[in-house]
Short mmCIF file of all heavy atoms in Angstrom, two decimals:
data_model
loop_
_atom_site.label_atom_id
_atom_site.label_comp_id
_atom_site.label_asym_id
_atom_site.label_seq_id
_atom_site.Cartn_x
_atom_site.Cartn_y
_atom_site.Cartn_z
N MET A 1 0.84 -1.15 -0.02
CA MET A 1 0.07 0.00 0.04
C MET A 1 0.92 1.23 -0.04
O MET A 1 0.90 1.91 -1.00
CB MET A 1 -0.94 -0.07 1.21
CG MET A 1 -1.88 1.15 1.27
SD MET A 1 -3.45 0.83 1.98
CE MET A 1 -3.11 0.92 3.65
N PHE A 2 1.56 1.60 1.17
CA PHE A 2 2.44 2.67 1.17
C PHE A 2 3.85 2.18 1.41
O PHE A 2 4.05 1.09 2.04
CB PHE A 2 2.04 3.64 2.37
CG PHE A 2 0.79 4.24 2.28
CD1 PHE A 2 -0.28 3.87 3.05
CD2 PHE A 2 0.55 5.24 1.27
CE1 PHE A 2 -1.54 4.51 3.04
CE2 PHE A 2 -0.64 5.88 1.20
CZ PHE A 2 -1.67 5.45 1.99
N LYS A 3 4.83 2.87 0.99
CA LYS A 3 6.21 2.53 1.26
C LYS A 3 6.56 2.83 2.78
O LYS A 3 6.41 3.98 3.09
CB LYS A 3 7.19 3.20 0.29
CG LYS A 3 8.56 2.77 0.45
CD LYS A 3 9.41 3.44 -0.63
CE LYS A 3 10.91 3.08 -0.38
NZ LYS A 3 11.76 3.87 -1.23
N GLN A 4 7.08 1.95 3.50
CA GLN A 4 7.49 2.20 4.82
C GLN A 4 8.48 3.22 4.96
O GLN A 4 9.57 3.19 4.25
CB GLN A 4 7.94 0.90 5.47
CG GLN A 4 8.19 0.99 6.95
CD GLN A 4 8.67 -0.40 7.57
OE1 GLN A 4 8.88 -1.36 6.81
NE2 GLN A 4 8.88 -0.42 8.78
N ASN A 5 8.30 4.26 5.82
CA ASN A 5 9.28 5.30 6.00
C ASN A 5 9.49 5.67 7.44
O ASN A 5 10.05 6.72 7.73
CB ASN A 5 8.91 6.55 5.19
CG ASN A 5 7.62 7.23 5.63
OD1 ASN A 5 6.97 6.78 6.59
ND2 ASN A 5 7.29 8.34 4.94
N ILE A 6 9.08 4.75 8.33
CA ILE A 6 9.29 4.98 9.85
C ILE A 6 9.99 3.85 10.36
O ILE A 6 9.61 2.63 10.16
CB ILE A 6 7.95 5.14 10.49
CG1 ILE A 6 7.15 6.36 10.01
CG2 ILE A 6 8.20 5.22 12.01
CD1 ILE A 6 5.76 6.48 10.62
N GLY A 7 11.16 4.12 11.00
CA GLY A 7 11.89 3.04 11.61
C GLY A 7 11.38 2.53 12.86
O GLY A 7 10.39 3.09 13.47
N SER A 8 12.02 1.51 13.43
CA SER A 8 11.49 0.90 14.69
C SER A 8 11.54 1.79 15.92
O SER A 8 10.57 1.80 16.70
CB SER A 8 12.26 -0.46 14.99
OG SER A 8 13.53 -0.17 15.16
N PHE A 9 12.62 2.58 16.07
CA PHE A 9 12.58 3.51 17.29
C PHE A 9 11.49 4.58 17.10
O PHE A 9 10.85 4.89 18.02
CB PHE A 9 13.97 4.09 17.37
CG PHE A 9 14.07 5.17 18.51
CD1 PHE A 9 14.11 4.78 19.85
CD2 PHE A 9 14.07 6.49 18.21
CE1 PHE A 9 14.19 5.64 20.85
CE2 PHE A 9 14.18 7.40 19.25
CZ PHE A 9 14.13 6.92 20.61
N ASP A 10 11.45 5.14 15.88
CA ASP A 10 10.41 6.13 15.62
C ASP A 10 9.00 5.63 15.85
O ASP A 10 8.14 6.23 16.44
CB ASP A 10 10.59 6.62 14.19
CG ASP A 10 9.87 7.92 13.92
OD1 ASP A 10 9.23 8.50 14.83
OD2 ASP A 10 10.00 8.37 12.77
N ARG A 11 8.79 4.34 15.43
CA ARG A 11 7.47 3.71 15.61
C ARG A 11 7.11 3.50 17.13
O ARG A 11 6.03 3.78 17.48
CB ARG A 11 7.51 2.28 14.99
CG ARG A 11 6.92 2.23 13.69
CD ARG A 11 7.05 0.80 13.17
NE ARG A 11 5.71 0.09 13.44
CZ ARG A 11 5.46 -1.11 13.25
NH1 ARG A 11 6.44 -1.92 12.70
NH2 ARG A 11 4.28 -1.61 13.46
N ALA A 12 8.07 3.10 17.82
CA ALA A 12 7.88 2.88 19.29
C ALA A 12 7.56 4.12 19.96
O ALA A 12 6.57 4.34 20.76
CB ALA A 12 9.05 2.20 19.94
N LEU A 13 8.33 5.26 19.62
CA LEU A 13 8.10 6.58 20.20
C LEU A 13 6.69 7.10 19.90
O LEU A 13 6.02 7.67 20.73
CB LEU A 13 9.20 7.59 19.79
CG LEU A 13 9.28 8.88 20.45
CD1 LEU A 13 9.56 8.72 21.92
CD2 LEU A 13 10.40 9.72 19.81
N ARG A 14 6.33 6.99 18.58
CA ARG A 14 4.98 7.45 18.27
C ARG A 14 3.90 6.67 18.91
O ARG A 14 2.90 7.29 19.33
CB ARG A 14 4.86 7.23 16.72
CG ARG A 14 5.61 8.25 15.84
CD ARG A 14 5.60 7.83 14.37
NE ARG A 14 6.42 8.77 13.59
CZ ARG A 14 5.93 9.66 12.83
NH1 ARG A 14 4.68 9.91 12.71
NH2 ARG A 14 6.68 10.50 12.08
N ALA A 15 4.12 5.37 19.14
CA ALA A 15 3.04 4.61 19.83
C ALA A 15 2.90 5.03 21.23
O ALA A 15 1.79 5.22 21.79
CB ALA A 15 3.38 3.13 19.67
N ILE A 16 4.03 5.31 21.92
CA ILE A 16 4.03 5.73 23.30
C ILE A 16 3.39 7.05 23.46
O ILE A 16 2.50 7.28 24.30
CB ILE A 16 5.49 5.74 23.87
CG1 ILE A 16 5.97 4.34 24.04
CG2 ILE A 16 5.52 6.44 25.23
CD1 ILE A 16 7.45 4.23 24.35
N VAL A 17 3.67 8.03 22.56
CA VAL A 17 3.19 9.37 22.55
C VAL A 17 1.59 9.30 22.30
O VAL A 17 0.86 9.90 23.00
CB VAL A 17 3.88 10.34 21.63
CG1 VAL A 17 3.12 11.59 21.48
CG2 VAL A 17 5.35 10.55 22.09
N GLY A 18 1.28 8.48 21.28
CA GLY A 18 -0.14 8.40 20.88
C GLY A 18 -0.96 7.77 22.04
O GLY A 18 -2.05 8.32 22.37
N LEU A 19 -0.45 6.76 22.65
CA LEU A 19 -1.18 6.11 23.72
C LEU A 19 -1.35 7.01 24.93
O LEU A 19 -2.34 6.97 25.62
CB LEU A 19 -0.60 4.72 24.05
CG LEU A 19 -0.79 3.67 23.03
CD1 LEU A 19 -0.01 2.46 23.37
CD2 LEU A 19 -2.30 3.24 22.85
N THR A 20 -0.29 7.72 25.17
CA THR A 20 -0.27 8.59 26.33
C THR A 20 -1.34 9.77 26.12
O THR A 20 -2.03 10.10 27.08
CB THR A 20 1.11 9.27 26.59
OG1 THR A 20 2.10 8.24 26.78
CG2 THR A 20 1.11 10.24 27.70
N LEU A 21 -1.35 10.37 24.93
CA LEU A 21 -2.28 11.41 24.68
C LEU A 21 -3.79 10.82 24.74
O LEU A 21 -4.60 11.53 25.25
CB LEU A 21 -2.05 12.05 23.31
CG LEU A 21 -0.80 12.88 23.23
CD1 LEU A 21 -0.51 13.31 21.77
CD2 LEU A 21 -0.93 14.15 24.07
N ILE A 22 -3.93 9.70 24.15
CA ILE A 22 -5.29 9.08 24.21
C ILE A 22 -5.74 8.79 25.72
O ILE A 22 -6.89 9.12 26.07
CB ILE A 22 -5.41 7.88 23.36
CG1 ILE A 22 -5.27 8.24 21.89
CG2 ILE A 22 -6.68 7.08 23.57
CD1 ILE A 22 -5.14 7.13 20.91
N ALA A 23 -4.77 8.27 26.46
CA ALA A 23 -5.11 7.97 27.89
C ALA A 23 -5.50 9.33 28.57
O ALA A 23 -6.31 9.33 29.47
CB ALA A 23 -3.93 7.33 28.54
N MET A 24 -4.73 10.38 28.22
CA MET A 24 -5.02 11.68 28.92
C MET A 24 -6.44 12.14 28.50
O MET A 24 -7.17 12.69 29.35
CB MET A 24 -3.99 12.70 28.52
CG MET A 24 -2.64 12.54 29.10
SD MET A 24 -1.44 13.70 28.50
CE MET A 24 -2.12 15.27 28.95
N ALA A 25 -6.88 11.91 27.24
CA ALA A 25 -8.27 12.24 26.93
C ALA A 25 -9.31 11.45 27.58
O ALA A 25 -10.29 11.95 28.00
CB ALA A 25 -8.38 12.17 25.39
N VAL A 26 -8.99 10.19 27.67
CA VAL A 26 -9.98 9.26 28.30
C VAL A 26 -10.14 9.56 29.84
O VAL A 26 -11.29 9.61 30.37
CB VAL A 26 -9.50 7.77 28.16
CG1 VAL A 26 -10.34 6.91 28.96
CG2 VAL A 26 -9.65 7.38 26.63
N PHE A 27 -8.96 9.87 30.47
CA PHE A 27 -9.09 10.13 31.91
C PHE A 27 -9.26 11.62 32.25
O PHE A 27 -9.12 11.91 33.46
CB PHE A 27 -7.96 9.53 32.60
CG PHE A 27 -7.84 7.97 32.51
CD1 PHE A 27 -6.84 7.44 31.73
CD2 PHE A 27 -8.78 7.23 33.07
CE1 PHE A 27 -6.82 6.00 31.55
CE2 PHE A 27 -8.76 5.80 32.94
CZ PHE A 27 -7.76 5.25 32.23
N GLY A 28 -9.56 12.42 31.27
CA GLY A 28 -9.97 13.83 31.55
C GLY A 28 -8.85 14.79 31.65
O GLY A 28 -9.12 15.96 31.88
N GLU A 29 -7.53 14.47 31.54
CA GLU A 29 -6.50 15.33 31.71
C GLU A 29 -6.25 16.30 30.51
O GLU A 29 -6.00 17.46 30.55
CB GLU A 29 -5.17 14.66 32.09
CG GLU A 29 -5.25 14.00 33.44
CD GLU A 29 -5.33 14.89 34.57
OE1 GLU A 29 -4.73 15.95 34.56
OE2 GLU A 29 -6.14 14.58 35.59
N GLY A 30 -6.38 15.64 29.34
CA GLY A 30 -6.04 16.35 28.10
C GLY A 30 -7.20 16.75 27.28
O GLY A 30 -7.12 17.43 26.26
N MET A 31 -8.42 16.40 27.70
CA MET A 31 -9.66 16.65 27.08
C MET A 31 -9.61 16.33 25.61
O MET A 31 -9.01 15.33 25.17
CB MET A 31 -10.11 18.08 27.34
CG MET A 31 -10.33 18.36 28.74
SD MET A 31 -11.48 19.78 28.80
CE MET A 31 -10.63 20.84 29.85
N ALA A 32 -10.25 17.13 24.74
CA ALA A 32 -10.33 16.83 23.33
C ALA A 32 -9.00 16.81 22.58
O ALA A 32 -8.79 16.06 21.72
CB ALA A 32 -11.27 17.81 22.63
N TRP A 33 -8.05 17.63 23.05
CA TRP A 33 -6.74 17.71 22.40
C TRP A 33 -6.03 16.32 22.49
O TRP A 33 -5.19 16.14 21.69
CB TRP A 33 -5.85 18.80 22.93
CG TRP A 33 -6.31 20.11 22.46
CD1 TRP A 33 -7.03 21.06 23.18
CD2 TRP A 33 -6.04 20.70 21.21
NE1 TRP A 33 -7.26 22.14 22.37
CE2 TRP A 33 -6.67 21.98 21.24
CE3 TRP A 33 -5.32 20.28 20.10
CZ2 TRP A 33 -6.55 22.77 20.11
CZ3 TRP A 33 -5.30 21.05 19.00
CH2 TRP A 33 -5.92 22.34 18.98
N GLY A 34 -6.39 15.54 23.49
CA GLY A 34 -5.68 14.27 23.61
C GLY A 34 -5.98 13.33 22.61
O GLY A 34 -5.22 12.39 22.29
N TRP A 35 -7.16 13.54 21.87
CA TRP A 35 -7.51 12.61 20.79
C TRP A 35 -6.62 12.79 19.52
O TRP A 35 -6.58 11.92 18.59
CB TRP A 35 -8.93 12.82 20.41
CG TRP A 35 -9.83 12.25 21.50
CD1 TRP A 35 -10.59 12.95 22.34
CD2 TRP A 35 -9.97 10.92 21.89
NE1 TRP A 35 -11.23 12.12 23.30
CE2 TRP A 35 -10.86 10.90 23.06
CE3 TRP A 35 -9.33 9.70 21.43
CZ2 TRP A 35 -11.22 9.69 23.63
CZ3 TRP A 35 -9.76 8.49 22.08
CH2 TRP A 35 -10.64 8.51 23.20
N ILE A 36 -5.78 13.78 19.59
CA ILE A 36 -4.74 14.01 18.47
C ILE A 36 -3.78 12.79 18.54
O ILE A 36 -3.11 12.51 17.59
CB ILE A 36 -4.09 15.42 18.63
CG1 ILE A 36 -5.15 16.42 18.18
CG2 ILE A 36 -2.86 15.37 17.74
CD1 ILE A 36 -4.67 17.84 18.12
N GLY A 37 -3.73 12.20 19.65
CA GLY A 37 -2.91 11.04 19.82
C GLY A 37 -3.23 9.88 18.90
O GLY A 37 -2.32 9.00 18.64
N ALA A 38 -4.36 9.94 18.26
CA ALA A 38 -4.62 8.92 17.25
C ALA A 38 -3.83 9.02 16.05
O ALA A 38 -3.52 8.03 15.37
CB ALA A 38 -6.13 8.98 16.85
N ILE A 39 -3.28 10.19 15.78
CA ILE A 39 -2.44 10.36 14.56
C ILE A 39 -1.14 9.68 14.76
O ILE A 39 -0.77 8.83 13.87
CB ILE A 39 -2.33 11.86 14.19
CG1 ILE A 39 -3.70 12.39 13.88
CG2 ILE A 39 -1.27 12.11 13.08
CD1 ILE A 39 -3.75 13.93 13.79
N PRO A 40 -0.33 10.01 15.72
CA PRO A 40 0.87 9.26 15.96
C PRO A 40 0.68 7.74 16.13
O PRO A 40 1.50 6.94 15.62
CB PRO A 40 1.59 9.92 17.11
CG PRO A 40 0.61 10.64 17.84
CD PRO A 40 -0.48 10.98 16.78
N LEU A 41 -0.37 7.38 16.71
CA LEU A 41 -0.60 5.97 16.99
C LEU A 41 -0.93 5.25 15.65
O LEU A 41 -0.38 4.12 15.39
CB LEU A 41 -1.77 5.70 17.90
CG LEU A 41 -2.16 4.32 18.25
CD1 LEU A 41 -0.89 3.67 18.95
CD2 LEU A 41 -3.33 4.22 19.24
N ALA A 42 -1.76 5.91 14.82
CA ALA A 42 -2.03 5.32 13.46
C ALA A 42 -0.77 5.25 12.55
O ALA A 42 -0.59 4.18 11.88
CB ALA A 42 -3.11 6.14 12.82
N THR A 43 0.05 6.21 12.59
CA THR A 43 1.25 6.23 11.79
C THR A 43 2.21 5.12 12.26
O THR A 43 2.87 4.62 11.45
CB THR A 43 1.91 7.65 11.65
OG1 THR A 43 2.30 8.05 12.99
CG2 THR A 43 1.02 8.66 11.01
N SER A 44 2.24 4.88 13.58
CA SER A 44 3.13 3.85 14.07
C SER A 44 2.56 2.55 13.65
O SER A 44 3.39 1.58 13.34
CB SER A 44 3.25 3.90 15.57
OG SER A 44 2.09 3.56 16.17
N VAL A 45 1.35 2.26 13.57
CA VAL A 45 0.76 1.04 13.17
C VAL A 45 1.01 0.69 11.72
O VAL A 45 1.36 -0.46 11.48
CB VAL A 45 -0.84 0.97 13.49
CG1 VAL A 45 -1.44 -0.22 12.86
CG2 VAL A 45 -1.12 1.06 14.99
N VAL A 46 0.83 1.66 10.84
CA VAL A 46 1.11 1.39 9.44
C VAL A 46 2.45 1.65 9.00
O VAL A 46 2.75 1.39 7.83
CB VAL A 46 0.08 2.26 8.57
CG1 VAL A 46 -1.40 1.90 8.84
CG2 VAL A 46 0.27 3.70 8.76
N SER A 47 3.35 2.23 9.87
CA SER A 47 4.85 2.50 9.53
C SER A 47 4.92 3.47 8.38
O SER A 47 5.88 3.45 7.63
CB SER A 47 5.58 1.20 9.19
OG SER A 47 5.56 0.31 10.33
N PHE A 48 4.01 4.33 8.21
CA PHE A 48 4.02 5.31 7.13
C PHE A 48 3.64 6.67 7.65
O PHE A 48 2.48 6.79 8.26
CB PHE A 48 3.20 4.99 6.00
CG PHE A 48 3.09 5.98 4.88
CD1 PHE A 48 4.15 6.07 3.96
CD2 PHE A 48 2.04 6.79 4.77
CE1 PHE A 48 4.22 7.01 3.00
CE2 PHE A 48 2.05 7.72 3.68
CZ PHE A 48 3.07 7.83 2.88
N CYS A 49 4.38 7.74 7.38
CA CYS A 49 4.04 9.12 7.82
C CYS A 49 3.97 9.96 6.53
O CYS A 49 4.92 10.12 5.83
CB CYS A 49 5.08 9.68 8.78
SG CYS A 49 4.72 11.31 9.25
N PRO A 50 2.77 10.53 6.18
CA PRO A 50 2.62 11.37 5.06
C PRO A 50 3.52 12.57 5.09
O PRO A 50 3.99 13.05 4.07
CB PRO A 50 1.19 11.70 5.01
CG PRO A 50 0.52 10.74 5.92
CD PRO A 50 1.38 10.34 6.93
N LEU A 51 3.77 13.12 6.27
CA LEU A 51 4.64 14.25 6.38
C LEU A 51 6.01 14.02 6.06
O LEU A 51 6.71 14.76 5.37
CB LEU A 51 4.47 14.92 7.76
CG LEU A 51 5.24 16.22 8.05
CD1 LEU A 51 4.77 17.30 7.09
CD2 LEU A 51 5.18 16.61 9.51
N TYR A 52 6.57 12.84 6.60
CA TYR A 52 7.82 12.40 6.22
C TYR A 52 7.95 12.20 4.64
O TYR A 52 9.01 12.55 4.11
CB TYR A 52 8.20 11.01 6.83
CG TYR A 52 8.71 11.10 8.25
CD1 TYR A 52 8.60 12.24 9.01
CD2 TYR A 52 9.28 9.97 8.90
CE1 TYR A 52 9.09 12.28 10.35
CE2 TYR A 52 9.74 10.06 10.13
CZ TYR A 52 9.69 11.21 10.84
OH TYR A 52 10.14 11.27 12.16
N SER A 53 6.93 11.67 4.08
CA SER A 53 6.95 11.45 2.64
C SER A 53 7.04 12.71 1.88
O SER A 53 7.82 12.93 0.90
CB SER A 53 5.73 10.70 2.22
OG SER A 53 5.79 10.42 0.81
N ALA A 54 6.23 13.77 2.28
CA ALA A 54 6.29 15.11 1.66
C ALA A 54 7.60 15.77 1.82
O ALA A 54 7.99 16.46 0.92
CB ALA A 54 5.18 15.94 2.22
N LEU A 55 8.22 15.50 3.01
CA LEU A 55 9.58 16.19 3.22
C LEU A 55 10.72 15.33 2.73
O LEU A 55 11.91 15.82 2.88
CB LEU A 55 9.74 16.47 4.75
CG LEU A 55 8.75 17.45 5.34
CD1 LEU A 55 8.93 17.52 6.86
CD2 LEU A 55 8.82 18.77 4.70
N GLY A 56 10.48 14.17 2.22
CA GLY A 56 11.55 13.33 1.68
C GLY A 56 12.32 12.65 2.83
O GLY A 56 13.48 12.19 2.59
N MET A 57 11.75 12.55 4.06
CA MET A 57 12.47 11.91 5.22
C MET A 57 12.22 10.52 5.21
O MET A 57 11.14 9.99 4.72
CB MET A 57 12.00 12.56 6.44
CG MET A 57 12.42 14.01 6.63
SD MET A 57 11.71 14.80 8.06
CE MET A 57 12.54 13.89 9.33
N ASN A 58 13.10 9.68 5.82
CA ASN A 58 12.94 8.27 5.99
C ASN A 58 13.80 7.80 7.21
O ASN A 58 14.97 7.98 7.16
CB ASN A 58 13.37 7.54 4.72
CG ASN A 58 13.03 6.08 4.76
OD1 ASN A 58 12.72 5.59 5.78
ND2 ASN A 58 13.15 5.46 3.63
N THR A 59 13.20 7.29 8.18
CA THR A 59 13.91 6.76 9.46
C THR A 59 14.02 5.27 9.34
O THR A 59 14.59 4.66 10.27
CB THR A 59 13.20 7.28 10.72
OG1 THR A 59 11.92 6.77 10.80
CG2 THR A 59 13.30 8.74 10.82
N CYS A 60 13.54 4.69 8.25
CA CYS A 60 13.56 3.22 8.23
C CYS A 60 14.95 2.83 7.62
O CYS A 60 15.46 3.58 6.74
CB CYS A 60 12.52 2.71 7.23
SG CYS A 60 12.28 1.02 7.12
N LYS A 61 15.55 1.79 8.15
CA LYS A 61 16.87 1.40 7.72
C LYS A 61 17.03 0.71 6.40
O LYS A 61 18.09 0.52 5.92
CB LYS A 61 17.61 0.59 8.85
CG LYS A 61 17.81 1.51 10.04
CD LYS A 61 18.80 0.88 11.06
CE LYS A 61 18.93 1.80 12.11
NZ LYS A 61 19.98 1.68 13.02
N ARG A 62 15.93 0.26 5.88
CA ARG A 62 15.96 -0.35 4.56
C ARG A 62 16.33 0.52 3.45
O ARG A 62 15.99 1.61 3.33
CB ARG A 62 14.70 -1.12 4.18
CG ARG A 62 13.96 -1.89 5.20
CD ARG A 62 12.89 -2.66 4.59
NE ARG A 62 11.59 -1.98 4.65
CZ ARG A 62 10.68 -2.11 3.84
NH1 ARG A 62 10.73 -2.88 2.92
NH2 ARG A 62 9.53 -1.53 4.00
#
């Protein structure tokens, strides 16, 4: 589907940040802004970042 452009460290970091923001939204600390955590979580799941692609960046070692 998409060419992978996110490396393993970047993926893990995005997943942690995304889950933290979502948890903040669920438990009332971050309110609606916490749902932005779905974006880094989704990009970590599919290993593709459209912004990286637009900027020509690639953190994947392949």
Side-chain angles (χ1 to χ4, degrees):
M1 182 149 80
F2 297 110
K3 185 178 177 185
Q4 184 178 6
N5 66 357
I6 297 177
S8 58
F9 177 75
D10 196 3
R11 263 181 93 183
L13 187 62
R14 286 170 184 257
I16 291 168
V17 169
L19 289 172
T20 301
L21 288 172
I22 291 171
M24 287 174 62
V26 168
F27 295 112
E29 296 293 322
M31 295 206 235
W33 284 101
W35 290 109
I36 288 182
I39 296 169
L41 184 61
T43 58
S44 74
V45 169
V46 297
S47 298
F48 177 77
C49 178
L51 183 61
Y52 276 14
S53 182
L55 296 174
M57 295 175 61
N58 187 348
T59 61
C60 188
K61 293 199 179 191
R62 315 191 263 152

